[in-house]
Every structure is written in C-alpha cells, then in structure tokens.
Amino acid sequence: MRVRGLLALVLSLTLPGCGFAWRALKRNLSAPPERTVAHKIVDPRRPEAKLAALWVGHATVLVQLDDRFVLTDPVFDHTLSQASPRLVEPGLDPARLPPLAAVVVSHMHFDHLSFGSLDWVEQRTPIVLVPPGVRSNMPRYDFEIRELETWASYEHDGLRVTAVPVQHVGGRYALDAAFETRAFTGYVFEYHGLSVYFGGDTAYIPSAFQATRARFPNLSLALLPICPDAPRDFMQYTHESPDQALDAFTLLGAQQMIPIHFDTYINSDDALGACPRELRARMQARGLSDEQVPILAIGEQRVLIAK
Amino acid sequence: MSPAVAVGIWSVAQLIPSPLLVIGKEHVGGGVRWQLTPLLYSFGIAERPVRSFLISPIARHSGSVELHVSPEWACCAPDERSSWLVRAGLRLYLPLLEHGEKLSWSVGASYYRTAGARGDNGGSADLGIFTFHGAFGLNVTVSPWLTRREVITALTIRLF
C-alpha cells in the first residue's frame, strides 16, 4: 500500500501531474460563488432515530448513533488552503453542532483536516481521533488528540471507534507526503448494536475492505467517497471511482451506503454533478435502490434506522 | 521511503532562495537569501515541541522560537567588500489566523558577518508576516550599520 502512495506522489511531480494541478487551479480561479443551502437544519438531533446521517459537505458527516454523535473530517472552511473556494456552504452551521462523543480525522489533507474548523468543535468533543503521525502536525487544542494504529480502538461510554485500513497518501504540505507514509485511515464506529464505516478518502483496495468486513460483518452504514474520479490514471492510486465505491460497498457488506466527497470543492477534472450521475447509472446497472444508496444533498439529513 | 530520500527531497526544497529587495541610502538593488533552522521550540504544537532543520510549517507558525542561520547575497556592497554575508539569530513566530496557517507574524534579532578577511559584523532586527501555511511571506530586516544594505525586504519562500 505504501508503494502505491509513493507512486501517487511521484506521479504528482510528473508533467501529467503538474498539468492536472494547473487545470484544477484554473477551475478554482473561475469557480462560481458559494451556493447557499435552502432550509438548513437548525437542530440536528433526531429523537426518533436510531441511526441518522447529515451530510455537511465533502467528507464531513454528522452521524447519530442512538443518543451519541460522531463527526467525521470536520471542514467548514469557505476556502481550502486559501486557494480552493467552497462551492456549496456547509450543510450545518457549526454553532448548531450537538455535543459530540468523538470526532474522527481520516488524514491531513486540507479538505479533511481544518485547524480553524476544529476550533468550532473544541468545546463540543472530548477527543479527536487521528491516524499515526498526525498529532505532531496539529496545533494544541483543549480536546485530547489520540492517534490510532490500524485495528486499534478508542472506547468510551459504550462507543467504540476502530481505525481500519484504507489506501491514500499522507502529509499536508505536499513534501511531507514523503515522510508521513502511514498518516491515513478509515474508521468504524460502534454503539448500541450499530456499526458505521467511514472511508475518509481511499483508493479501491479490495483486501482492505475484505479485512474490515471480516472484523465487522454487520455494518449498518458505509460512508464512501465517490470522487475525484478524473483523471482516472492519476486518481486510481488514491481515490475510488463511483463504480469502485459500489464495489467497496459490496465487499464491506454494509446494509446502506451514503456517498460522500463530491461537488463541494474542485479538486479534479470532474464536472460538477458528474460523480453522482455516474454513481446513479452504476446503481441502476447493479439494481441498487435509493433506499440502499441514498445520495444526499449537502445539508440533507436522513434517518436510516428509526427507533 | 528511506530516510535518505526524504531528506534529499527536503534538501532540494531548501535550495529555493528568497528574493531580496535591498534598499541603501542612495540606491536600490537585489539579492537572494536561504534559511536553515538548526533548532526550533514550538509552543503551539500538540506534540514534539523541539524540532531541528526539518520543521513542519504548523510547528513554526502556530507559535515558536527558532534559532536560524541565513546565508545571503545582497548586492551593492562597498568597494572591496563582499556582497555575501551570513546571519544567525533568534526569531519569534506568533499565529494570527487559523493557528498561523493562514496568517502569522514574526519578530527577530540576528548577528551578521560579511564574507572576506575584512568582514564587517553587527546586529539586525527583523519583522515578518507569512501566509499560505508559511510558504510565502514578507520579511523586513534592518541593519543600521551594514553599509549600503541598511534595509532589506525579503519575499520569503519556504517549502517545508
């Protein structure tokens, strides 16, 4: 897996890699103004839900497991790394976040780890879980920052969060991808008989999904990235295509899947709407229903299992 | 990846110079500056506060004190004096926005010595502001006794 990450890094330094970066920069410079979310949810607590998910945008999802809340990769930034403007405003005002049992961060890229956004959750969570190598690259906060090795767990008050294998690339400032070769992960959250998989940002690695299923055979929900897809020869080492996300869903054996990581920031050659459109087409071909794979709009909350 | 390759990548990044605008009493010129940090103590980082040479931008810009060494070539030295000099000093970085990743500032003091047998030496003070996770910044160095190079403004470029 590390070899694939290294390959991705080397590719990014080649002419096609630089060409892709230049196209992404041009698209970002001409990005439309940030779209607002109509009927934004004010109180995300759903007393009638055993399992609910609210897609805040990109990889940020507020997951309700019974009476506990877990927030994934909190990014409420209007501009990423001072270069990439947000296309749609966050689907939840961070001031409206409920008390959180835990926050998980999948890796250090700017679209997944925002130091400013963590200020918003600082007084709302006791702990932020991160992959190995990330803690020494984070500023001080009031919450505990705990690194989890693959298959290691954090347990508190009935909630268990386990780090699970994915394939991506570590680092935050480009060059440190060479040093941070283990700084990415996925997670599984378990509480009151529910289990939720969060893929963060990952390439399609069947062995990782199979290993996760072997340990978590009854996943209620899989949050899986479906974008960026293009250019595929460049993205294949670090990102799943929509079709591969459905393969991952099958390999994980989850009951439902919510696609994430699309149409929030420009970080690829994909046209807006292309990834969910492709996902719908592939779902149809496989006979998957909207019940099994609900494609949420940013700011939309879905009760997946009622009490 | 082997440590040697990682250090090699970092070393190449350090070769990128920061361009200088040299302002003397009667002229304006240019120059270049490199910078190394043998030791840094970060009081803004969550873990491993003491760093050496290979320093994550967030460790520096979230709040830190560094010992730096800066070779530079600043034009227009007086006759028979070298335009090369080296500075060594202490610099304090403080965050302004998003733990310093978006915006931070610095204040420092350094000692300089010009190259050559008849090298001059003296003291300087500097003030800086940095953005884009510290990759770019402006740093103004004032050296009252450094003839013809009293004020130097650097467009600092530092990749990691």
Side-chain angles (χ1 to χ4, degrees):
Chain A
M1 287 186 183
R2 288 183 194 177
V3 173
R4 289 168 68 100
L6 176 60
L7 193 57
L9 176 68
V10 171
L11 268 176
S12 68
L13 300 173
T14 60
L15 206 56
C18 292
F20 158 67
W22 175 243
R23 290 193 300 276
L25 178 66
K26 277 201 299 186
R27 287 186 65 204
N28 272 293
L29 289 173
S30 59
E34 185 177 283
R35 196 156 50 79
T36 56
V37 172
H39 314 298
K40 229 165 149 177
I41 288 170
V42 174
D43 184 1
R45 285 170 285 209
R46 300 291 291 264
E48 78 279 20
K50 194 164 165 58
L51 177 63
L54 192 163
W55 188 34
V56 180
H58 208 56
T60 311
V61 182
L62 179 67
V63 181
Q64 179 180 341
L65 301 108
D66 217 340
D67 58 346
R68 293 283 187 275
F69 291 88
V70 176
L71 186 66
T72 67
D73 286 355
V75 175
F76 296 92
D77 298 22
H78 294 282
T79 309
L80 285 183
S81 186
Q82 295 165 272
S84 179
R86 194 174 187 116
L87 301 174
V88 184
E89 70 167 324
L92 180 70
D93 186 334
R96 303 285 186 182
L97 282 168
L100 302 164
V103 170
V104 298
V105 172
S106 62
H107 62 294
M108 286 195 282
H109 289 168
F110 285 95
D111 55 336
H112 293 259
L113 173 58
S114 157
F115 297 145
S117 297
L118 286 178
D119 287 336
W120 280 102
V121 305
E122 190 165 20
Q123 302 307 321
R124 289 181 168 82
T125 185
I127 192 162
V128 172
L129 301 166
V130 298
V134 172
R135 192 168 187 270
S136 61
N137 286 292
M138 285 179 69
R140 286 170 184 268
Y141 292 97
D142 288 345
F143 48 69
E144 180 190 353
I145 303 169
R146 189 181 299 184
E147 293 184 353
L148 286 184
E149 296 278 350
T150 303
W151 304 125
S153 297
Y154 158 77
E155 286 190 66
H156 181 73
D157 212 8
L159 173 75
R160 183 163 65 177
V161 181
T162 303
V164 298
V166 296
Q167 173 55 49
H168 199 54
V169 64
R172 182 168 179 85
Y173 308 104
L175 280 182
D176 52 348
F179 320 126
E180 304 295 353
T181 54
R182 298 190 307 141
F184 47 83
T185 188
Y187 296 94
V188 170
F189 329 131
E190 296 171 281
Y191 184 68
H192 283 189
L194 301 161
S195 52
V196 175
Y197 174 90
F198 170 59
D201 214 352
T202 183
Y204 180 63
I205 298 291
S207 60
F209 302 127
Q210 284 160 344
T212 300
R213 183 181 191 171
R215 290 180 186 238
F216 303 96
N218 299 305
L219 290 170
S220 319
L221 170 66
L223 303 168
L224 282 164
I226 62 166
C227 226
D229 187 19
R232 185 92 297 256
D233 54 348
F234 179 73
M235 295 294 179
Q236 63 178 318
Y237 303 103
T238 49
H239 296 94
E240 297 174 326
S241 67
D243 197 38
Q244 288 175 328
L246 293 176
D247 286 339
F249 171 50
T250 305
L251 288 175
L252 286 164
Q255 289 164 33
Q256 291 177 294
M257 163 186 159
I258 290 180
I260 57 170
H261 207 271
F262 63 94
D263 291 356
T264 312
Y265 298 101
I266 295 169
N267 57 1
S268 67
D269 284 348
D270 299 300
L272 279 181
C275 287
R277 211 165 29 245
E278 173 72 5
L279 183 73
R280 274 195 194 91
R282 301 291 179 159
M283 282 167 57
Q284 270 193 336
R286 292 166 184 245
L288 289 167
S289 68
D290 287 344
E291 286 291 306
Q292 289 166 292
V293 186
I295 303 176
L296 303 186
I298 289 175
E300 185 179 350
Q301 187 178 37
R302 181 73 61 98
V303 174
L304 300 156
I305 302 175
K307 273 184 177 161
Chain B
M1 173 172 292
S2 75
V5 174
V7 169
I9 292 172
W10 174 83
S11 301
V12 169
Q14 304 316 301
L15 294 176
I16 299 169
S18 298
L20 305 179
L21 177 67
V22 181
I23 301 174
K25 283 180 180 155
E26 294 169 357
H27 71 280
V28 172
V32 285
R33 178 186 289 168
W34 293 266
Q35 188 158 291
L36 287 171
T37 306
L39 193 63
L40 176 141
Y41 175 79
S42 175
F43 47 85
I45 201 79
E47 186 179 85
R48 216 160 45 82
V50 179
R51 314 273 174 120
S52 182
F53 291 107
L54 210 155
I55 294 159
S56 165
I58 190 64
R60 174 176 280 115
H61 295 280
S62 62
S64 66
V65 182
E66 71 171 11
L67 172 66
H68 67 91
V69 177
S70 301
E72 75 181 41
W73 182 91
C75 88
C76 316
D79 293 343
E80 298 175 20
R81 303 289 172 98
S82 173
S83 289
W84 285 97
L85 67 135
V86 64
R87 300 174 190 273
L90 286 174
R91 186 175 292 130
L92 169 72
Y93 289 89
L94 292 168
L96 288 173
L97 287 175
E98 299 214 353
H99 300 269
E101 253 195 352
K102 263 191 180 166
L103 198 65
S104 68
W105 70 285
S106 73
V107 59
S110 59
Y111 167 84
Y112 66 81
R113 181 163 182 84
T114 58
R118 296 174 56 201
D120 300 320
N121 55 61
S124 305
D126 65 82
L127 200 60
I129 190 153
F130 307 90
T131 187
F132 272 101
H133 27 89
F136 302 107
L138 276 178
N139 180 284
V140 179
T141 306
V142 178
S143 315
W145 302 283
L146 185 59
T147 312
R148 294 172 63 85
R149 289 166 289 179
E150 288 86 354
V151 179
I152 296 179
T153 301
L155 169 64
T156 62
I157 301 170
R158 178 169 356 212
L159 302 178
F160 214 85

